[in-house]
Amino acid sequence: MTRIRSVELRLIALPLVRPFRTSFGEDTTKDAILLRLETDDAEGWGECVAGPEPGYSEEFNDEVWITIRDHLARRILGADLSSEELGGALAGVRGHPMAKAAVEMALLDAELREAGRSLAEHLGAGRDRVACGVSVGITPTVEELLEQVEGYLSEGYQRIKLKIEPGTDVERVRAVREAHPDILLSVDANAAYALEDVEVFRALDELELLMIEQPLFYEDLLQHAKLQRELRTAICLDESIRSAADGAAAIELGACRIVNIKQGRVGGILEARRVHDVARAAGVPVWCGGMLETGIGRAANLALAALPGFTLPGDTSASSRYFRQDLTDPFVLEPDGTMAVPTGPGLGVSPHADRIEGATVRLERLEKNGLGGGIAS
Ligand code: NPQ
Ligand code: MG
């Protein structure tokens, strides 16, 4: 019997190497909640993919903090729970997939460290390296965009994804395509368009893109199915897919031909594997998305991306794409555009204590009897 003894919540802020702009906003730091969970036998780390604003999804850091502290932690503290049983224990809380995923990641890490097994091994992910792409934010000028793309290609990234928004789309993408006729190139709109913008997509359809990611409103599978029927280029859904059930519905409706899988968005690594399984059974390629994770979440993404259905390069970029100094030892891109899947127990990474302390802006320890309390710093 191994009880969950404590959960430590921590908000960290880590400077980004360059601002990252999408159709929903711009970030200059990565602000994320980390979780350290202690059982009788081990500790585990989890990272929540939510950001400071509800721009990508409904969830955001201040809310995740309350959700974990007041609703998730008390359902698990003192309990003898496995990661397989966690979903059931938290089922009384509806939604909040990112908060739940962070708890699951920490529990899986603790469990697997105790068992001496890696996450990839536990998931049945056989590959030891994964193909990596990179997501390029919206830049002030086309020159800066071309320069950044050039830089990432010279590092070896196998696929370039351009963030687009209405007004900063076809011309930019065409410029990149003309400079690099043969690369794997895709775009991501983060739901910024409507079906009335079909002419933009018809123009993009001429540029031999690998995919168009999340063009339309995140709740609208039907409109994506209508748009997909108008295009040669595959639509990939990101924000619209919050579970394996969503994945099955989207595929059956013809709303997409590719699925972006993010463990945080679907409520955890185990549900992410179920999305993978559904897509794989339908012959739909998947790839691993990214949320600017520190080394903790990045390690989880690499394990997931090692599953056999992940046949396209992911947004599993190197630590250096986002951070001057990561919280863990950095993940490094090989010149061939691949990264090694961690092999150590659990996530296979440990954050450096001094870096964690230096990045922490808020800390609170939770225990069953309610002792612990907050420490502001
Ligand atoms: C996407 N990620 O695929 C997301 C969007 C995204 C790598 O393009 C802070 C935290 C800022 C998470 C900006 C990539 C973010 C974020 C964009 C996620 O849609
Ligand atoms: Mg996306």
Side-chain angles (χ1 to χ4, degrees), residues 16 20-27 29-31 49-52 56 134-137 159 161 163 188-190 213-214 238-239 260 262 265 287 289-293 315 317 321-322:
L16 295 174
F20 191 58
R21 190 154 91 83
T22 65
S23 62
F24 59 82
E26 182 173 87
D27 286 276
T29 59
K30 169 66 180 174
D31 302 291
V49 301
Y56 169 85
V134 64
S135 175
V136 186
R159 183 230 61 206
K161 161 171 133 182
K163 291 293 191 176
D188 186 357
N190 287 112
E213 183 176 343
Q214 198 66 49
D238 174 356
E239 287 92 323
N260 166 327
K262 291 175 178 166
R265 193 194 66 224
W287 56 280
M291 294 290 280
L292 286 55
E293 290 91 345
D315 280 344
S317 310
R321 157 67 185 88
Y322 294 110

Side-chain angles (χ1 to χ4, degrees), residues 27-342:
D27 286 276
T28 53
T29 59
K30 169 66 180 174
D31 302 291
I33 292 174
L34 304 182
L35 224 122
R36 192 173 72 93
L37 179 149
E38 282 176 309
T39 68
D40 290 332
D41 305 304
E43 69 162 28
W45 286 88
E47 174 173 347
C48 183
V49 301
E53 305 277 339
Y56 169 85
S57 85
E58 298 90 331
E59 291 180 275
F60 60 99
N61 290 334
D62 289 345
E63 167 273 318
V64 166
W65 193 283
I66 294 170
T67 300
I68 297 178
R69 185 189 63 195
D70 297 349
H71 301 284
L72 304 183
R74 68 182 171 81
R75 286 173 160 79
I76 64 168
L77 284 170
D80 174 20
L81 267 182
S82 72
S83 53
E84 295 293 335
E85 295 164 327
L86 181 67
L90 301 182
V93 177
R94 228 172 250 199
H96 304 280
M98 293 177 176
K100 289 175 178 174
V103 173
E104 187 202 70
M105 193 187 296
L107 183 58
L108 270 168
D109 188 31
E111 222 171 66
L112 294 170
R113 280 182 196 234
E114 166 67 11
R117 293 204 311 148
S118 72
L119 178 59
E121 201 182 326
H122 179 70
L123 293 175
R127 239 181 254 145
D128 63 350
R129 322 195 55 80
V130 302
C132 300
V134 64
S135 175
V136 186
I138 299 167
T139 53
T141 66
V142 67
E143 288 75 22
E144 281 165 82
L145 178 62
L146 289 166
E147 201 174 300
Q148 285 187 27
V149 167
E150 194 67 54
Y152 292 133
L153 288 171
S154 69
E155 287 181 55
Y157 286 108
Q158 295 187 21
R159 183 230 61 206
I160 300 286
K161 161 171 133 182
L162 308 178
K163 291 293 191 176
I164 57 168
E165 66 183 350
T168 314
D169 42 40
V170 180
E171 208 180 315
R172 290 289 182 96
V173 182
R174 188 179 292 126
V176 172
R177 175 48 92 205
E178 281 169 3
H180 304 283
D182 299 322
I183 63 168
L184 293 183
L185 183 65
S186 66
V187 296
D188 186 357
N190 287 112
Y193 294 83
L195 205 48
E196 295 76 68
D197 299 313
V198 65
E199 288 313 320
V200 171
F201 298 108
R202 282 197 216 286
L204 291 172
D205 210 16
E206 301 299 311
L207 298 176
E208 304 299 330
L209 301 177
L210 180 60
M211 70 189 89
I212 298 173
E213 183 176 343
Q214 198 66 49
L216 309 177
F217 184 50
Y218 50 91
E219 308 246 34
D220 205 331
L221 292 181
L222 199 53
Q223 296 239 345
H224 280 99
K226 288 183 180 167
L227 181 60
Q228 181 66 91
R229 284 199 289 273
E230 300 295 316
L231 303 175
R232 293 187 305 137
T233 311
I235 288 178
C236 169
L237 289 177
D238 174 356
E239 287 92 323
S240 291
I241 309 298
R242 295 152 305 183
S243 63
D246 278 350
I251 290 167
E252 193 161 326
L253 269 170
C256 64
R257 294 191 202 131
I258 297 176
V259 175
N260 166 327
I261 299 183
K262 291 175 178 166
Q263 59 82 26
R265 193 194 66 224
V266 303
I269 294 161
L270 300 178
E271 183 71 6
R273 184 174 54 182
R274 290 190 279 271
V275 180
H276 159 274
D277 295 347
V278 159
R280 192 163 186 238
V284 168
V286 305
W287 56 280
C288 184
M291 294 290 280
L292 286 55
E293 290 91 345
T294 77
I296 298 168
R298 203 159 289 277
N301 286 348
L302 287 165
L304 187 63
L307 283 165
F310 286 78
T311 54
L312 294 168
D315 280 344
T316 45
S317 310
S319 295
S320 64
R321 157 67 185 88
Y322 294 110
F323 311 114
R324 197 179 56 76
Q325 188 178 59
D326 205 335
L327 297 176
T328 61
D329 286 343
F331 283 99
V332 178
L333 189 75
E334 297 299 323
D336 69 352
T338 66
M339 265 197 314
V341 177

